Each structure stands twice: as C-alpha cells, then as structure tokens.
Amino acid sequence: MKTSLRAFGIGLFVAGASIALVDLSSGETESKQKDIALYEQQLKDYENQITLLTEQLDKQNSHTDVNSENQTAEKTSDSSSINEEKSNTKKVTEATIFIYEDVSIYTIGQQAEDLGIVANGRELELFLSKPDYARSIQKGAFDLSSDMTIEQMAKVLTGQPIE
C-alpha cells in the first residue's frame, strides 16, 4: 500500500512538472514571436528613414554642386583673406591661477588646463618639475595667458623676470 501510494505521488509530480515545462516553452515561443515581429517592424522603419535621408542627401549634394561651381571663382580670389582670418581667429585666454601653500605641481598644471590657458596641463607640470622652478614656486595669484610660452608661465609662477 505504501509503495503504491508513493508511486502514485511520484507519477503526479512528474506529470505536473512535464505540463509546467510545456507551458513555459510555449510561452517563451509566443514572446519570442512578438519580439521578432517588433524587431521586423523597427527594421522596416529604419530602412524607410535611411531612404528618406539618402534622398535628402542626394538633393543637398546636387544643390551644393551647382553652388560650388559658382563659388570656385570667388574662392580663388579670397584665399589670401581667408588665411589672414584663420590666423586671427586664434582665441587668447587670460586667467588667474591661485597657488596656495603645499599645492602640488600637478594641481597647478590641471588648473591651467581647466582654465584653457594650456592645452595640456601635463606639459606645464613637467616643466615646473625642473629643479630651477620646482624649488621657487611662489604663493599667490598669477595672471597667465594662453599666448605665453610654458617657460614664460613658469617664470611668472616662480617670480623670475620675463625676458
């Protein structure tokens, strides 16, 4: 009696587990099919956008071809003035760096880079690490400009006269 009851219980468990597995697998397929349909719709939308953008690009290129033929003569006559404008567009940045007691050279270089005085603060940091400059960096507020050389900046920060 016990064994037959145990066998019946195990049979019910196995049957329930197999039904649950079948339900899970069919549910996953339905959700996968929905995802596939959604992705296919998105793909169609993206293809339509690509065609529209390609058409717009072709239209712009045809307009620029006509305009570029008209502007070719103007460009040759204005090339010298364009070169002058490019050299004048360099923006000079002036800022004040504050140096307090026990400020590291790295902090000074980073501060100069953050203010836009130098493109690479590491350059200023390495230059200031030279023994001539590292020992004599002054505390205070210093006005620096982006048109100064690294050496000139170092001399200002150490209180040495600029030549």
Side-chain angles (χ1 to χ4, degrees), residues 1 3 12 34 38 73 78 80 87 113 127 134-136 140 146 148:
M1 177 89 165
T3 54
L12 286 176
K34 289 178 183 176
L38 177 67
D78 294 338
S80 61
S87 64
E113 184 176 343
F127 197 85
R135 295 184 186 130
S136 58
S146 62
M148 298 171 79

Side-chain angles (χ1 to χ4, degrees), residues 2-161:
K2 268 185 169 181
T3 54
S4 62
L5 190 58
R6 184 179 298 153
F8 181 71
I10 291 173
L12 286 176
F13 176 75
V14 170
S18 62
I19 290 173
L21 287 175
V22 168
D23 283 342
L24 283 176
S25 65
S26 67
E28 288 178 4
T29 356
E30 291 174 8
S31 67
K32 286 181 182 178
Q33 289 174 351
K34 289 178 183 176
D35 288 343
I36 289 172
L38 177 67
Y39 291 142
E40 287 176 348
Q41 181 62 37
Q42 287 176 346
L43 183 62
K44 288 178 185 176
D45 292 340
Y46 290 141
E47 287 175 350
N48 290 337
Q49 286 179 353
I50 289 172
T51 21
L52 289 173
L53 291 173
T54 308
E55 290 172 2
Q56 289 177 354
L57 185 62
D58 291 340
K59 287 179 183 177
Q60 287 177 351
N61 286 341
S62 66
H63 290 304
T64 54
D65 288 343
V66 171
N67 290 339
S68 64
E69 289 174 3
N70 295 337
Q71 293 175 354
T72 309
E74 294 175 12
K75 286 183 182 180
T76 55
S77 65
D78 294 338
S79 63
S80 61
S81 64
I82 291 174
N83 290 336
E84 290 174 9
E85 288 176 13
K86 285 183 181 179
S87 64
N88 291 337
T89 58
K90 183 179 177 184
K91 185 178 176 184
V92 176
T93 304
E94 294 181 3
T96 303
I97 291 186
F98 297 97
I99 300 178
Y100 303 102
E101 191 171 338
D102 297 329
V103 171
S104 68
I105 297 171
Y106 170 78
T107 307
I108 296 170
Q110 190 65 38
Q111 195 176 16
E113 184 176 343
D114 292 343
L115 292 171
I117 298 169
V118 293
N120 186 0
R122 185 84 171 139
E123 264 183 81
L124 182 60
E125 175 188 349
L126 291 173
F127 197 85
L128 288 173
S129 67
K130 293 181 178 180
D132 296 341
Y133 299 108
R135 295 184 186 130
S136 58
I137 295 176
Q138 306 291 314
K139 293 184 287 184
F142 301 95
D143 294 324
L144 299 178
S145 174
S146 62
D147 62 348
M148 298 171 79
T149 64
I150 297 291
E151 184 177 6
Q152 289 173 335
M153 289 181 200
K155 286 184 177 184
V156 168
L157 295 174
T158 56
Q160 297 175 8

